[in-house]
């Protein structure tokens, strides 16, 4: 791609400055950069920026012969829409600022993709990699009990979802605990999303964030205005990428980029090292290896190094950080060799790094847009739960029959025999088809809205500023409707 031109202008930082990497400060500085150009009343800007409330609590759980105290959080950033929505993170070093920052990102994410929820986020300070499953279950259930107790969870109040270190299993424990505590609530399944399909989940939720990441990258590489603006070689086919973090988002994103986008995965970074192969890595095979061996290292016919940051040095068209925040910093941004930085993780790029990348001609697809596929499909799941019906159930047969009639007419008029394809063409949409098309439409529309702001608004300087501007304007409109701001 246009790697040559970017490489010519790439500059190393002259000195290493200490950088403020507190995620809440980072999110606030991104917010301010965008809000400054929107001419909103100062009180309104403050109302949108601040986190409304944080529930920080400690709770005891019996582990073998002792009682251990765990630290939990649930932050509610904005109540301008109900319920509030956001994942639950299990990680050893979470703190209140991190959870508040992630809750704010949820508010803006929901606004960008027109999901009518306020932003929230939760966490437990625990290492899921080293904690036995029975302890994880007791911790998750007790955490849910605490949320119920303080009205921080419920189908119309606050609806958690998976995030780093949690998945279907934890969401299933949460739904079950909430259901036990609210036996008369017929909407109790809607208290959490990302559940297994057998427990009220929706087909396509597990892969949704990764699939959304693919759609966002595909738009960047195929939308003619975007490719012209960012001087990109159009098309996804044959483009190389490197992914950091091979969990839910990283794996599904990589799999879909390869299978549906025709892209080539040339490197994967994990917490214990990096693997690479310029000829391409098969994401499914790497996942199977990781599950069997507990690491991606040693994957056959790939170069393995124990340096987790070595992924930064691999030449590629698209770099996809999909692990955690603060990965691309002032100290290492000059090493990025990609033309596109696709922020699948939340907050992977520090403001200092962003300046260097933009100066070096790297196009950044911001997190608040790119990883919003998860919350989009969570919205579909919540809607399914409160409507008590699977998507496609009413229309599947009707649509199939209508297709069949059209194809019969085409066969009759043209004499072409379509019988070989008839079953595939007339089966009517299943839930997963509707979820995928709903997600695709959402990601394409949101990209166009963001790009339109970038191209047409004077103070929209890059895609992150454009994404925040679009989000802030929508949240502001709902605050303004209250009539309390001058
Ligand atoms: P996950 O726990 O499934 O996967 C994270 C992966 O990153 C794991 O494989 C882990 O081993 C790896 N990792 C941890 N530390 C690392 C390090 N220092 N270097 C390299 N790899 C490391 O989590 P996930 O759900 O895939 O979330 C990843 C990111 O995406 C997070 O920032 C999360 O907030 C964001 N996100 C997730 C969702 C979702 O639906 N799961 C939605 C939106 C945003």
């Amino acid at each position: 791609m246009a790697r040559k031109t970017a490489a010519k202008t790439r500059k190393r930082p002259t000195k290493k400055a200490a950088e403020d990497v507190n995620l809440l400060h980072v999110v606030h500085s991104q917010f301010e950069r965008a809000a400054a150009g929107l001419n909103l009343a100062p009180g309104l800007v403050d109302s949108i920026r601040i986190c409304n409330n944080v529930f920080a609590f400690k709770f005891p759980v019996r582990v073998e012969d002792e009682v251990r105290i765990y630290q939990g959080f649930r932050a509610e950033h904005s109540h301008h829409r109900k319920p509030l929505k956001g994942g639950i993170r299990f990680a050893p070093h979470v703190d209140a600022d991190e959870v508040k920052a992630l809750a704010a990102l949820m508010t803006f994410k929901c606004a960008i993709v027109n999901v009518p929820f306020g932003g929230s986020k939760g966490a437990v300070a625990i290492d899921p990699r080293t904690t036995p499953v029975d302890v994880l279950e007791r911790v998750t259930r007790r955490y849910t009990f605490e949320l119920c107790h303080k009205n921080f969870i419920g189908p119309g109040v606050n609806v958690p979802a998976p995030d780093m270190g949690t998945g279907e299993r934890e969401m299933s424990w949460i739904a079950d605990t909430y259901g036990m505590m609210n036996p008369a609530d017929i909407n109790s399944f809607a208290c959490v999303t990302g559940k297994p399909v057998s427990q009220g989940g929706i087909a396509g939720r597990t892969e949704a964030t990764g699939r959304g990441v693919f759609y966002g990258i595909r738009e960047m590489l195929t939308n003619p205005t975007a490719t012209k603006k960012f001087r990109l070689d159009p098309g996804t086919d044959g483009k190389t990428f490197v992914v950091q973090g091979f969990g839910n988002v990283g794996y599904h994103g990589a799999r879909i980029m390869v299978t549906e986008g025709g892209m080539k995965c040339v490197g994967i970074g994990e917490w214990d090292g990096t693997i690479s192969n310029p000829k391409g890595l098969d994401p499914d095979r790497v996942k199977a290896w990781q599950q069997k061996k507990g690491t991606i290292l040693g994957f056959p016919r790939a170069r393995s190094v124990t340096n987790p940051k070595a992924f930064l040095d691999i030449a590629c068209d698209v770099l996809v950080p999909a692990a955690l925040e603060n990965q691309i910093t002032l100290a290492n941004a000059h090493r990025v060799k990609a033309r596109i930085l696709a922020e699948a993780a939340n907050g992977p790029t520090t403001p200092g790094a962003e300046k260097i990348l933009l100066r070096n001609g790297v196009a950044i697809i911001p997190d608040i847009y790119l990883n919003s596929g998860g919350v989009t499909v969570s919205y579909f799941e919540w809607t399914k739960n409160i409507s008590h019906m699977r998507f496609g159930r009413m229309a599947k047969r009707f649509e199939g029959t209508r297709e069949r009639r059209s194809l019969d007419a085409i066969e009759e008029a043209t004499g072409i025999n379509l019988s070989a394809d008839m079953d595939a063409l007339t089966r009517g949409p299943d839930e997963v088809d509707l979820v995928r098309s709903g997600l695709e439409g959402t990601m394409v529309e949101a990209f166009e809205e963001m790009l339109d702001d970038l191209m047409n608004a004077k103070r929209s300087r890059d895609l992150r500023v454009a994404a925040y501007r679009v989000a802030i304007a929508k949240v502001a409109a709902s605050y303004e409707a209250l009539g309390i701001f001058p």
Side-chain angles (χ1 to χ4, degrees):
M1 209 158 47
R3 209 177 301 139
K4 287 165 244 151
T5 44
K8 263 187 219 159
T9 55
R10 193 160 282 128
K11 286 182 191 148
R12 285 173 157 270
T14 45
K15 60 174 182 196
K16 271 190 192 164
E19 200 180 9
D20 179 1
V21 293
N22 175 302
L23 190 60
L24 187 60
H25 300 171
V26 171
V27 170
H28 282 171
S29 80
Q30 292 172 345
F31 174 91
E32 296 298 348
R33 218 153 58 92
L38 281 170
N39 287 329
L40 301 172
L44 176 56
V45 173
D46 292 342
S47 304
I48 299 172
R49 188 190 52 240
I50 46 105
C51 181
N52 289 2
N53 44 25
V54 189
F55 178 30
F57 53 103
K58 299 209 188 252
F59 56 98
V61 171
R62 177 169 287 283
V63 179
E64 292 173 4
D65 300 340
E66 55 171 336
V67 171
R68 281 204 200 141
I69 307 297
Y70 288 88
Q71 171 76 60
F73 301 95
R74 186 80 184 158
E76 296 190 332
H77 175 257
S78 174
H79 292 80
H80 74 290
R81 292 275 184 273
K82 294 248 182 71
L84 278 69
K85 192 91 193 69
I88 293 178
R89 174 172 286 197
F90 281 3
H93 304 295
V94 283
D95 60 35
D97 271 3
E98 181 177 328
V99 180
K100 278 155 77 175
L102 292 165
L105 291 177
M106 286 307 300
T107 295
F108 305 128
K109 220 177 276 190
C110 289
I112 288 175
V113 287
N114 296 313
V115 165
F117 293 148
S120 182
K121 201 82 177 192
V124 179
I126 189 169
D127 188 349
R129 248 199 310 261
T130 54
T131 308
V133 175
D134 61 322
V135 178
L136 282 174
E137 177 172 358
R138 286 202 292 282
V139 167
T140 308
R141 288 183 181 279
R142 178 67 195 233
Y143 174 80
T144 310
F145 171 85
E146 299 289 338
L147 296 183
C148 285
H149 194 54
K150 288 280 197 295
N151 208 22
F152 269 76
I153 184 171
V157 184
N158 193 324
V159 181
D163 192 68
M164 234 171 77
T166 61
E168 279 190 351
R169 183 184 63 184
E170 288 74 16
M171 302 308 115
S172 177
W173 292 331
I174 292 172
D176 186 51
T177 308
Y178 181 87
M180 285 193 290
M181 294 184 68
N182 298 273
D185 184 352
I186 61 161
N187 290 322
S188 70
F189 266 155
C191 76
V192 64
T193 59
K195 304 177 292 286
V197 176
S198 59
Q199 276 269 90
I202 195 167
R205 171 61 184 91
T206 309
E207 62 166 29
T209 308
R211 179 167 285 281
V213 166
F214 165 63
Y215 290 142
I217 293 170
R218 189 195 65 187
E219 284 314 289
M220 185 68 155
L221 283 165
T222 53
N223 179 304
T225 310
T227 52
K228 193 165 167 220
K229 167 86 182 160
F230 295 103
R231 299 199 191 108
L232 301 168
D233 172 25
T236 56
D237 209 26
K239 295 286 189 311
T240 55
F241 72 91
V242 169
V243 62
Q244 183 209 22
F246 206 55
N248 175 290
V249 179
Y251 160 63
H252 287 292
R255 177 178 64 75
I256 296 167
M257 283 158 80
V258 170
T259 54
E260 296 184 27
M263 298 172 74
K264 203 197 304 180
C265 178
V266 292
I268 302 174
E270 258 292 332
W271 64 277
D272 56 346
T274 303
I275 60 170
S276 60
N277 182 346
K279 291 188 180 150
L281 298 158
D282 177 339
D284 281 328
R285 290 209 172 135
V286 177
K287 189 39 108 183
W289 179 270
Q290 185 192 35
Q291 279 166 344
K292 195 166 155 205
K293 308 274 179 184
T295 177
I296 57 168
L297 298 180
F299 182 70
R301 288 181 294 284
R303 180 167 177 261
S304 289
V305 292
T306 51
N307 176 3
K309 281 282 160 51
F311 76 92
L312 282 166
D313 303 312
I314 303 170
C316 61
D317 297 315
V318 187
L319 178 62
V320 190
L324 62 171
E325 52 277 355
N326 295 331
Q327 293 306 293
I328 300 161
T329 64
L330 204 51
N332 64 30
H334 62 279
R335 286 163 59 187
V336 172
K337 295 191 170 59
R339 274 305 325 279
I340 297 174
L341 178 71
E343 294 185 336
N346 283 311
T349 317
T350 64
E354 180 161 30
K355 274 192 198 144
I356 296 172
L357 294 170
L358 293 175
R359 212 188 304 137
N360 287 344
V362 178
I364 301 176
I365 316 180
D367 50 2
I368 53 168
Y369 161 70
L370 195 67
N371 66 34
S372 58
V375 75
T376 301
V377 176
S378 276
Y379 171 45
F380 300 160
E381 181 177 334
W382 178 83
T383 310
K384 172 186 177 179
N385 292 153
I386 58 171
S387 70
H388 299 267
M389 200 192 293
R390 171 173 51 81
F391 287 111
R393 178 171 171 174
M394 297 263 277
K396 184 174 164 68
R397 198 168 178 85
F398 178 80
E399 300 271 344
T401 308
R402 194 164 56 176
E403 285 298 323
R404 180 170 286 275
R405 285 203 192 111
S406 310
L407 294 174
D408 283 348
I410 293 170
E411 268 190 333
E412 210 176 298
T414 62
I416 299 170
N417 184 351
L418 296 168
S419 57
D421 301 317
M422 201 57 107
D423 282 351
L425 293 171
T426 60
R427 69 179 172 79
D430 286 318
E431 183 171 83
V432 72
D433 302 315
L434 294 168
V435 164
R436 286 179 182 165
S437 85
L439 173 60
E440 183 172 12
T442 302
M443 294 302 293
V444 171
E445 264 172 43
F447 187 85
E448 283 167 358
E449 223 177 315
M450 208 169 58
L451 192 61
D452 183 57
D453 189 88
L454 178 64
M455 301 304 289
N456 298 314
K458 242 192 191 156
R459 302 194 62 178
S460 196
R461 281 169 290 175
D462 53 63
L463 272 182
R464 191 184 317 276
V465 170
Y468 269 94
R469 282 170 54 90
V470 168
I472 295 169
K474 289 183 192 172
V475 180
S478 63
Y479 273 99
E480 275 165 345
L482 301 173
I484 53 172
F485 295 100

